[in-house]
Amino acid sequence: MAVQPSPLRVVSARAAPAPLLQVDGVSLEYRTPERVVRATHQVSFDVHAADRFVLLGPSGCGKSTLLKAVAGFVAPCEGEIRLEGSPVSAPGPDRIVVFQEFDQLPPWKTVRQNVMFPLMHSRAISRREASECALHFLDKVGLANFADAYPHTLSGGMKQRVGIARALAMRPKVLLMDEPFSC
Ligand SMILES: Nc1ncnc2c1ncn2[C@@H]1O[C@H](COP(=O)(O)OP(=O)(O)OP(=O)(O)O)[C@@H](O)[C@H]1O
Ligand SMILES: [Mg+2]
């Protein structure tokens, strides 16, 4: 008589890791004297470390506003956004945004200086280290040869890639990108 092996059971005593980012019942509004525009209504989702999480929806459904809220630029009128369990109440270097708008690079700074700028203002780092770090991330987005160029000499997509290099160089906990490959 054949003996059936008992089915394998895997039991883990470890709890599931806590989410890195929690968006919990978040409603966002724009108030003007004439009207109130509700940009999102009770949106909830969790994002775990190393997740690539995509917000999809039609134009005007609130994607950019939600990213701005996660970044701390817009406060929810309902619900809460938490990063590592702590409520988000203001912008911070742990959440960097690559905005949807093209003109996010100060035009009087070179590409390399644009990437160096937030590094030098948010942490104790020498100019030489910031410059090397900027060049490293510009190389990652294929723009090492444009380090000394000014933004007005770049295409829309190249400007977007500088924004991505600048964000990556900050090594944020959450990188928020608003249609970064749209051009
Ligand atoms: N500064 C603002 N003042 C008033 N209303 C705004 C403002 N910015 C956005 N809105 C409104 O909020 C809603 C959501 O806009 P949002 O930019 O978040 O949409 P979106 O999903 O990013 O759209 P798209 O795909 O076109 O970029 C829209 O109805 C828009 O009119
Ligand atoms: Mg948008």
Side-chain angles (χ1 to χ4, degrees):
M1 190 176 81
V3 178
Q4 295 292 327
S6 56
L8 181 66
R9 293 177 67 213
V10 179
V11 179
S12 171
R14 272 193 298 176
L20 175 64
L21 177 72
Q22 291 166 286
V23 173
D24 185 4
V26 167
S27 300
L28 298 162
E29 287 178 351
Y30 291 99
R31 287 179 177 270
T32 65
E34 295 79 36
R35 72 183 91 165
V36 176
V37 176
R38 178 152 284 215
T40 70
H41 182 70
Q42 296 176 354
V43 174
S44 297
F45 57 84
D46 289 346
V47 182
H48 289 83
D51 276 358
R52 284 159 178 76
F53 192 93
V54 179
L55 292 172
L56 277 178
S59 179
C61 76
K63 304 178 296 290
S64 295
T65 308
L66 192 49
L67 289 187
K68 287 171 186 168
V70 172
F73 294 111
V74 179
C77 61
E78 182 183 18
E80 191 172 63
I81 300 171
R82 293 182 290 275
L83 184 71
E84 293 181 326
S86 300
V88 164
S89 58
D94 47 10
R95 288 150 288 130
I96 302 290
V97 197
V98 179
F99 288 104
Q100 187 171 15
E101 295 78 17
F102 285 153
D103 287 320
Q104 51 186 308
L105 306 175
W108 59 89
K109 288 185 184 292
T110 64
V111 162
R112 184 202 307 250
Q113 288 165 348
N114 262 282
V115 179
M116 288 168 63
F117 181 75
L119 281 173
M120 300 207 49
H121 286 269
S122 65
R123 60 185 72 153
I125 183 171
S126 71
R127 176 166 284 278
R128 192 177 59 80
E129 286 170 317
S131 177
E132 282 170 7
C133 180
L135 209 53
H136 172 77
F137 283 99
L138 284 169
D139 189 43
K140 283 215 178 291
V141 299
L143 288 175
N145 289 339
F146 290 84
D148 297 319
Y150 283 88
H152 75 275
T153 65
L154 306 182
S155 70
M158 290 163 85
K159 288 181 200 172
Q160 289 287 74
R161 284 188 277 148
V162 177
I164 293 169
R166 183 173 59 180
L168 289 173
M170 290 292 287
R171 299 185 189 274
K173 288 179 182 158
V174 180
L175 176 58
L176 303 157
M177 298 201 286
D178 197 349
E179 301 191 33
F181 311 118
S182 59
C183 48

